[in-house]
Amino acid sequence: MSYIAEYIWIDGTEPTAKLRSKAKVVADGEEPGIWGFDGSSTNQAPGDSSDVVLSPVLVTPDPVRGGDSKLVLCETLQTDMTPHPSNNRAACAAAAEKYGSFDTWFGMEQEYTFYEGRIPLGWPSKSGFPAPQGGYYCGVGADEIFGRPIVNDHLQACIDAGLHISGINAEVMPGQWEFQIGPVGAPRVADEMWLARWLLYRIAEDYSGSEGIPVSATLDPKPVAGDWNGAGCHTNFSTNQMRESYDACVAAAEALGGEGKPALHIANYGDGIEQRLTGLHETARYDQFSYGVSDRGASVRIPWQVERDGKGYIEDRRPNANCDPYLVTRLIIDTVCSAAS
Ligand code: ADP
Ligand code: MN
Ligand code: MN
Ligand code: MN
């Protein structure tokens, strides 16, 4: 019997790329191979030379269709088999390879917000705002929590697809949630992040909110202006040196604050980052760099147990929810590993 392979790729939309997918029927016993698409419809090619190549990088069981179906995450190539300009994975893989002796691990915390139509899920539809933040983070009860069936369905789907998902939690703003992928190396962590994002969007399609409107998930870094938390993608990481030594953890934090590095990282950590990194709502300002133990108001946090144990990892709190994890992990590898070389 043939099976269905859902080919998934990252498009060329700027400033924030979108996910695309289409299905291919593959003969029994065959692997999902190279395929292609019309790049003129995805901001990836002109109409008179529109072919872009899909090259599989991660194949998993498809928890949505089930059975023998597969999900096929791809990178995009030009027809001469070189990376497409919108392909950020190739440089990430090259950096991970160059600094392979550091055995870098990443754990990424993806925050996101559910919407019902144009309103965050669970928010009053006619006028006004929900009660101020305070009771929603890791809350329980229908007055605090909106979208749990979708979140649980997504968590199980990620497990069934074999992703390194390590947990979920309700976030500070109502309708806002988080999942974590890792710890795992690059570029695999970024592959899994993109696949988990696709699963989130796809699974939410099948649910409606209280108004009967289908639910969508967004990675908007500041979905509601004012006194409401934004959505980030905290990136925890370690090298083999950091997993053995506290000094190496501090040196990594220092490297991220090195000459020219804060501006370079901020410029590549997701569109609209100035709106989110205001210095309020558990953030440090986008134009200031700081690090500290247990400090959720710093750019980089050293977890308290890392200080106690004298080894471990650090958390870069700056990346936006809408970041490209290939860019974020590549920059961290380059900055931290070159300083420690
Ligand atoms: P927070 O307290 O900031 O909400 P989370 O529990 O959401 O933290 O996320 C912590 C992340 O750190 C997890 O994804 C976990 O996999 C990751 N992590 C743990 N140890 C390491 C390590 N040594 N290197 C890299 N990441 C790690
Ligand atoms: Mn978290
Ligand atoms: Mn969080
Ligand atoms: Mn965090």
Side-chain angles (χ1 to χ4, degrees), residues 109 111 178 234-236 296 301 315-317:
E109 307 169 47
E111 294 179 339
E178 169 181 315
H234 299 166
T235 300
N236 304 272
R296 287 175 197 267
R301 177 176 67 104
E315 175 190 45
D316 189 342
R317 300 178 58 79

Side-chain angles (χ1 to χ4, degrees), residues 132-338:
Q133 293 182 160
Y136 305 109
Y137 172 75
C138 298
V140 62
D143 51 341
E144 314 259 32
I145 289 297
F146 309 98
R148 199 189 297 277
I150 315 174
V151 172
N152 279 335
D153 203 355
H154 175 253
L155 173 60
Q156 189 62 53
C158 288
I159 293 170
D160 293 346
L163 307 187
H164 293 84
I165 191 159
S166 61
I168 56 104
N169 60 269
E171 268 303 336
V172 175
M173 187 182 97
Q176 207 167 61
W177 293 83
E178 169 181 315
F179 65 81
Q180 302 103 28
I181 299 280
V184 59
R188 168 103 195 188
V189 66
D191 294 341
E192 294 193 17
M193 282 281 290
W194 279 110
L195 210 51
R197 287 172 173 182
W198 187 88
L199 279 168
L200 180 67
Y201 300 139
R202 172 62 193 85
I203 287 167
E205 276 180 13
D206 294 344
Y207 287 85
S208 296
S210 58
E211 307 279 308
I213 303 170
V215 174
S216 60
T218 170
L219 307 186
D220 187 331
K222 192 72 182 181
V224 185
D227 214 5
W228 301 94
N229 273 38
C233 186
H234 299 166
T235 300
N236 304 272
F237 72 97
S238 60
T239 61
N240 46 13
Q241 298 171 355
M242 294 163 69
R243 293 190 291 273
E244 295 299 326
S245 138
Y246 187 69
D247 287 349
C249 293
V250 173
E254 288 280 345
L256 289 170
E259 178 78 41
K261 297 301 182 188
L264 174 67
H265 283 246
I266 288 290
N268 288 282
Y269 277 7
D271 185 54
I273 198 161
E274 300 85 358
Q275 273 79 58
R276 177 176 145 262
L277 298 185
T278 57
L280 301 173
H281 306 108
E282 305 177 57
T283 70
R285 279 184 59 92
Y286 68 92
D287 54 359
Q288 294 170 2
F289 180 85
S290 59
Y291 69 88
V293 176
S294 274
D295 189 353
R296 287 175 197 267
S299 315
V300 171
R301 177 176 67 104
I302 302 176
W304 67 272
Q305 73 275 17
V306 172
E307 188 186 45
R308 181 199 61 193
D309 297 346
K311 60 181 180 179
Y313 65 97
I314 66 176
E315 175 190 45
D316 189 342
R317 300 178 58 79
R318 298 170 295 171
N320 262 3
N322 63 349
C323 70
D324 182 342
Y326 292 124
L327 282 179
V328 171
T329 55
R330 195 245 305 159
L331 276 170
I332 291 175
I333 290 173
D334 274 343
T335 297
V336 171
C337 298
S338 63

